[in-house]
Amino acid sequence: MSETVVPRWLKWAREIQAVSQTGLTYAASEYETQRYRRLTEIAAEIIQDHTGLPKERLLPDLIMQTGYATLSTDPKTTRMHMTESLELYQQIDHRWGMAYALTGLGRAVVRLGDLEGAREALTRSLALHEEVENRVGQTEALEELAEVALWQSRFQEAEDLVQQALALTPTSNRIGIAVGLGLLGEVQLRSGRFAEAQSSAGASLPIWEEVGVRVWVARRSPTLARAHMHASAYDVAREQAEMTISLSQELDWERGIGIGKLVLGEVALAEAAFDRAYQLLQESRLNTMQFSPFYGDQSPWLGLAARGLRKRSEAWGYLATALDRVAEYQRSTEQMTALGCLTLLLADEGEAERAVELYALTSRYPYVANSRWFEDVIGRHIADAAARLPAAVAEAARERGRKRDLAATLEEIRQELAGRQNVERQRAQAPEMATGDGHE
């Protein structure tokens, strides 16, 4: 690309902004944050001097390009801001700005549940980053596309995208390598490839320690803990989760504390320590309740804990909440856990055939089929229920389950539970209404 197409001043502004973007994403102190924000201001001032665009209009656009900063911003506000920014950049044919506005727009709409809209915006962003030869931007768009594919349970696509991002990242970019390895570990975890997830996530942590960005050690430690947990290395998983909590407390990162307690609660469920699991999961919910449900919800695991404590009515309530959240945010880990909880509750109520059918559906997915945790918490109980059925009946139920559509089944059950709750509310209100009539 010639100098007449990309002026030197714009290259300088872009380079300064790229440094600021990386710095703001991984700043470890308020001093570093303020220093990198000043670099953003300098980039805006350079563009202002050469284009006449007011710095006050440019600065918010540049700030919204700072790595994962949009994650903590209200997604509806971010979507509106990025749409306005995109229109502005289109008017002046500023393709670099258009690319980053589309990346920010993709991040926002995925958190509003519009995964196809996010995919479209991020695909356009990637094409523009390629056009202006911005490797950092390409890597970022590829990683965001991988996140979308992960949400849609398109695991091979997600892994391919992460591998492309890693291929674009020079080995000297230690932070970029750590980001890619951590995301790869999460993809492998949800794909049910737990040994590979241990390797990838485990490789990212010492790099984060090396570059001194300890908050990302806390962010990726739960992936490693869960990879060990699903391989039945419960003591190792517990130790990793406790480290997550300790580091998150040191960093004053409340959500990290909650995630660590969630993993500890999952381990306690595998060990049938239901009182401890229930307590840890309630504490986890308190730690994370200030954050959007987009980041996860403890309801499926609380349902399992309540069921273990024979609080079945409470367990059904948690399951209904979980299915509502799953319908909105489509998190595969919660989908599988909620369905597993349902199968146990059905078996408890004598619906063994249906329990076997629905567990066969979940077992189609490697995340469940390859997991010792699912076997210890749910699978062995469903196997016991199946053993009490005639062999032909149990096999027919499994065959029906293997043919089921996951999304349609989740919605069917969600509607069924909503109807069940309405009936229970009407029954509860009936004596009160009768008492009221008697007084009149």
Side-chain angles (χ1 to χ4, degrees):
M1 192 170 289
S2 68
E3 288 294 320
T4 57
V5 176
V6 182
R8 292 178 68 191
W9 62 263
L10 182 54
K11 284 189 173 183
W12 293 333
R14 289 171 174 175
E15 186 173 350
I16 291 168
Q17 173 56 18
V19 172
S20 172
Q21 177 174 330
T22 301
L24 280 170
T25 303
Y26 305 110
S29 68
E30 182 60 25
Y31 170 73
E32 289 186 6
T33 297
Q34 292 301 326
R35 185 168 60 178
Y36 287 119
R37 281 179 180 163
R38 177 56 189 145
L39 286 178
T40 299
E41 292 176 1
I42 291 171
E45 289 165 4
I46 291 172
I47 297 172
Q48 175 183 252
D49 285 346
H50 288 271
T51 65
L53 292 170
K55 184 178 78 171
E56 292 73 18
R57 182 65 187 87
L58 288 164
L59 196 55
D61 296 335
L62 294 174
I63 289 171
M64 293 308 291
Q65 296 175 18
T66 54
Y68 298 94
T70 56
L71 298 184
S72 60
T73 305
D74 173 62
K76 292 182 180 179
T77 303
T78 303
R79 178 179 59 185
M80 179 180 67
H81 175 85
M82 287 299 171
T83 301
E84 292 173 352
S85 298
L86 180 60
E87 291 171 356
L88 170 66
Y89 287 129
Q90 286 172 331
Q91 289 172 15
I92 62 175
D93 196 29
H94 191 303
R95 307 186 86 70
W96 184 283
M98 289 163 58
Y100 273 114
L102 284 164
T103 300
L105 181 61
R107 286 198 189 112
V109 297
V110 76
R111 283 150 186 82
L112 294 170
D114 183 7
L115 298 180
E116 287 305 320
R119 178 183 291 275
E120 180 184 351
L122 291 165
T123 300
R124 290 172 61 196
S125 171
L126 176 60
L128 284 167
H129 281 303
E130 290 172 345
E131 183 181 327
V132 299
E133 300 178 0
N134 178 10
R135 289 170 67 93
V136 173
Q138 290 176 56
T139 300
E140 190 174 335
L142 285 166
E143 289 168 348
E144 293 293 336
L145 279 167
E147 293 272 12
V148 172
L150 191 56
W151 276 88
Q152 295 178 315
S153 299
R154 297 156 75 159
F155 300 121
Q156 186 58 59
E157 179 185 336
E159 181 166 359
D160 291 344
L161 289 163
V162 177
Q163 294 289 10
Q164 289 178 51
L166 281 168
L168 284 171
T169 306
T171 55
S172 59
N173 182 355
R174 303 297 288 160
I175 286 178
I177 295 295
V179 170
L181 286 172
L183 182 53
L184 182 61
E186 186 64 28
V187 172
Q188 291 163 339
L189 173 69
R190 297 199 209 177
S191 303
R193 292 152 52 200
F194 304 121
E196 292 174 72
Q198 290 172 33
S199 177
S200 298
S204 75
L205 298 185
I207 301 176
W208 288 121
E209 290 280 11
E210 171 194 325
V211 298
V213 187
R214 303 188 73 211
V215 67
W216 275 91
V217 178
R219 283 176 180 268
R220 282 308 180 196
S221 286
T223 301
L224 181 58
R226 279 179 161 148
H228 284 297
M229 181 189 78
H230 284 287
S232 76
Y234 297 129
D235 289 340
V236 179
R238 182 186 296 107
E239 181 179 348
Q240 194 71 38
E242 288 171 347
M243 187 276 284
T244 301
I245 294 170
S246 177
L247 181 55
S248 297
Q249 288 171 335
E250 181 182 332
L251 297 169
D252 196 27
W253 184 40
E254 195 73 10
R255 189 159 65 89
I257 298 170
I259 295 170
K261 289 180 179 178
L262 171 56
V263 177
L264 287 179
E266 291 177 275
V267 172
L269 286 171
E271 297 171 336
F274 298 116
D275 279 317
R276 176 166 170 72
Y278 190 82
Q279 178 184 345
L280 284 164
L281 292 165
Q282 291 288 7
E283 291 175 6
S284 173
R285 170 170 275 187
L286 288 173
N287 289 126
T288 59
M289 64 188 304
Q290 63 182 297
F291 302 100
S292 166
F294 167 82
Y295 294 107
D297 177 65
Q298 293 82 357
S299 297
W301 295 275
L302 277 166
L304 288 168
R307 181 259 174 192
L309 294 171
R310 301 186 182 280
K311 299 178 179 181
R312 292 198 174 90
S313 177
E314 189 175 335
W316 281 107
Y318 281 126
L319 178 60
T321 300
L323 290 173
D324 286 341
R325 295 283 170 80
V326 160
E328 186 172 4
Y329 296 104
Q330 303 177 41
R331 294 180 68 91
S332 60
T333 53
E334 290 168 28
Q335 289 174 336
M336 298 296 106
T337 309
L339 268 178
C341 179
L342 172 65
T343 62
L344 290 177
L345 290 170
L346 289 172
D348 290 342
E349 295 190 351
E351 295 189 55
E353 188 174 344
R354 193 177 181 202
V356 171
E357 177 180 333
L358 292 175
Y359 197 68
L361 166 61
T362 66
S363 297
R364 283 196 345 232
Y365 295 86
Y367 181 73
V368 175
N370 299 340
S371 169
R372 287 300 310 173
W373 183 87
F374 271 97
E375 177 61 23
D376 291 341
V377 176
I378 301 164
R380 62 190 180 90
H381 300 292
I382 301 305
D384 289 343
R388 292 192 289 271
L389 295 170
V393 172
E395 184 52 38
R398 292 190 187 97
E399 185 61 25
R400 289 194 302 273
R402 287 190 284 265
K403 293 179 180 178
R404 273 184 170 270
D405 177 78
L406 177 62
T409 298
L410 287 168
E411 182 58 24
E412 170 193 320
I413 295 165
R414 190 172 77 88
Q415 295 295 338
E416 181 182 324
L417 289 188
R420 175 177 176 144
Q421 287 181 317
N422 285 335
V423 170
E424 290 177 353
R425 277 194 292 268
Q426 290 170 2
R427 286 175 179 169
Q429 292 169 357
E432 297 176 8
M433 294 174 63
T435 302
D437 292 341
H439 282 299
E440 291 179 3

